[in-house]
Amino acid sequence: MDHDLLKKIIEGALLAANRPLSVEQLERLFEGDGHPDRAAIRSALGQLSEDCDDRGYELKEVASGFRFQVRETVAPWVSRLWEERPPRYTRALLETLALIAYRQPITRAEIEEIRGVAVSTQIVRTLTEREWVRVVGHREVPGRPALFGTTRQFLDYFNLKSLDELPTLAELRDLDKLHPELDFDGPQEEAAAAGESAAGPPEPDAGAGPADERGGEQDLDAGAELPGTSGGHTLQ
């Protein structure tokens, strides 16, 4: 297949899709003798990325695949197209999410033990409804409590390809500097009657690290500043 045509097909598919597309999904677009191999598809993706260098959008690879999205440098202006304010979250919710991301798989009781306060049902519901967190199994102890882990949607939302790209725990200590969409001034998902205090991020256990998607350990010192979501807008 002609390389320029291959680029156009992939570009059109990425623009039309309502989600990131993996190389395997792009490969399934083609049939017959002119079927391009994965190397050709990756080459076309690389050239499409270079074509975006001087544009207001970029080709970004996240956990679920590739997508076109608005660059963070122009997101403040582009976001004015949407009148609705992005959702805001409590510090308690973000601390809970951080613990799940860095200590997964982890039970609700373990989260409560580290934070020193109860985890409200509303926090768990919000994280699962956003599809950032899911039950990945059950601890083999009396009661078999659910084990929570993060999802591909969590990685996609934060512009991450894998958990290796999470920031260090030292960078996470100032939660107020996270992406603007994670503001603390909005409605509280956690009932005020619970009397939960906004404690600082929890101290890590020595040698603890986030489990990768296969359940292994990762180095907490690996990673960079938490990427934003380019204003939360993908090109469709």
Side-chain angles (χ1 to χ4, degrees), residues 155-227:
L155 295 173
D156 291 347
Y157 184 87
F158 289 102
N159 260 350
L160 303 172
K161 289 173 59 178
S162 71
L163 292 172
D164 289 319
E165 296 183 357
L166 281 170
T168 64
L169 286 180
E171 291 172 316
L172 263 182
R173 289 190 184 281
D174 191 352
L175 289 174
D176 296 305
K177 292 184 179 179
L178 283 173
H179 193 272
E181 293 191 17
L182 304 182
D183 200 334
F184 304 116
D185 297 331
Q188 303 290 302
E189 291 81 0
E190 193 170 26
E196 183 170 271
S197 62
E203 292 290 336
D205 292 337
D212 65 15
E213 295 179 30
R214 298 178 305 278
E217 292 287 328
Q218 297 177 354
D219 184 0
L220 289 184
D221 293 329
E225 181 180 357
L226 180 64

Side-chain angles (χ1 to χ4, degrees), residues 99-122:
L99 280 169
I100 294 173
Y102 282 89
R103 303 289 183 85
Q104 62 184 294
I106 188 171
T107 66
R108 182 168 174 172
E110 289 167 339
I111 295 172
E112 293 174 340
E113 181 179 0
I114 295 171
R115 295 193 63 238
V117 289
V119 176
S120 75
T121 300
Q122 184 60 38

